[in-house]
Amino acid sequence: MKYSRKDAKSHSRATMRGIWAAALMPFRADGAMDEEGFRANIDHWIDDLGIDGFFVAGKQGEFFSMSVEERKRCFDLAVECAGDRAQTIMSCSDQNMDVVIDLARHAQECGADYIVVHAPVLHFLKQQDETLIRYYETIASKVDIGIALWSHPDSGYLMSPELCARLAEIETVVAIKYSVPRDMYTRLTELAGDKILVSTASEEEWLDNILELNWQLYLCSSPPYLIQTANDRRMKEYTDLAFAGRADEARKISASLQPVRDALKSTRPAEKPHAHQKYWQDLLGQTGGHVRPPILALTEDEKAATRAAFDACGLKM
């Protein structure tokens, strides 16, 4: 690791900055991981798009369709590809605590910068806060690597800002991907913004969160590599301008991306986000590849509609 356990919070505050993207994992037609395509994507995302960090083997990466060994292989590939050019945060989320800890130890050993652990589905909603504190304290006691929390409606509940502030007291809890309404993540920023880096996955809210909440980290989803190209890095441009305090210029550039956002949203079929984003990657010249069952693939009509919107959205190729 690049830091000691006791330095996890200070190290993250100093280095966990900028735009971090959630990596999709390309699969071949036979279901195997396309390692060559994944490597090529990471090289493009770093060298051409200037992305600062990668969230690996999360929901975007279809971790739920992978074996534990495949997830570990994803960690190894990402660390090897990123090298010293970008940082990595490995998703160790699982309902089984032993799997979470096994993945966390592998992430630490292979050279990952951080791990992220989704709040688990709770089968008994009694003493929920105390159960979750025990959950994250147990994980933190088994590894020294910095941990990001992740609260999302998929768990069947949302962790309150007050609970997250308590969890921020854990020595190695450094960040949170807080997929909640804005009033909740604003409250957490007020309560514990000095102890934990608060972020959310919405690209459309990112600029306001830099300017109004003084956020330093976008953690993370797929827009950083879906709404940008080597010749059109408007998300990075408005981010850099916002960090420099040039708000009006940043807002103007961000607003210019609305046709791209609309094209993505308007053509994404319900229950097919992975297939849709992968097809968009293919249109961009990246390696999108196939989805694994039970994820649904796009129909030819859905592909045609997506291609028409892509061609009209104004991204510079």
Side-chain angles (χ1 to χ4, degrees), residues 150-201:
W150 185 8
S151 183
H152 188 282
D154 285 359
S155 296
Y157 61 89
L158 296 174
M159 297 197 298
S160 70
E162 291 73 21
L163 170 61
C164 294
R166 291 177 65 188
L167 291 168
E169 299 292 338
I170 297 173
E171 183 178 30
T172 53
V173 167
V174 300
I176 182 170
K177 182 177 178 180
Y178 207 23
S179 302
V180 299
R182 196 167 195 265
D183 62 326
M184 290 181 68
Y185 65 66
T186 299
R187 175 63 176 157
L188 177 57
T189 304
E190 294 168 350
L191 287 173
D194 59 334
K195 297 181 180 70
I196 187 171
L197 295 171
V198 185
S199 187
T200 196

Side-chain angles (χ1 to χ4, degrees), residues 201-205 223 226-227 257-270 272-273 276-277 280 305-306 309-310 313:
S202 171
E203 180 273 326
E204 292 185 70
E205 298 171 65
L226 295 182
I227 67 173
L257 278 168
Q258 198 56 47
V260 186
R261 299 184 186 111
D262 292 342
L264 268 169
K265 286 186 177 181
S266 66
T267 57
R268 183 176 297 166
K272 296 184 180 181
H276 181 262
Q277 291 173 108
W280 193 276
T306 301
F310 175 87
C313 75

Side-chain angles (χ1 to χ4, degrees), residues 63-83:
F63 82 89
F64 42 78
S65 72
M66 296 183 193
S67 68
V68 172
E69 290 308 310
E70 285 178 317
R71 295 174 71 180
K72 290 179 179 178
R73 179 59 180 158
C74 290
F75 294 3
D76 295 341
L77 285 170
V79 168
E80 180 183 335
C81 292

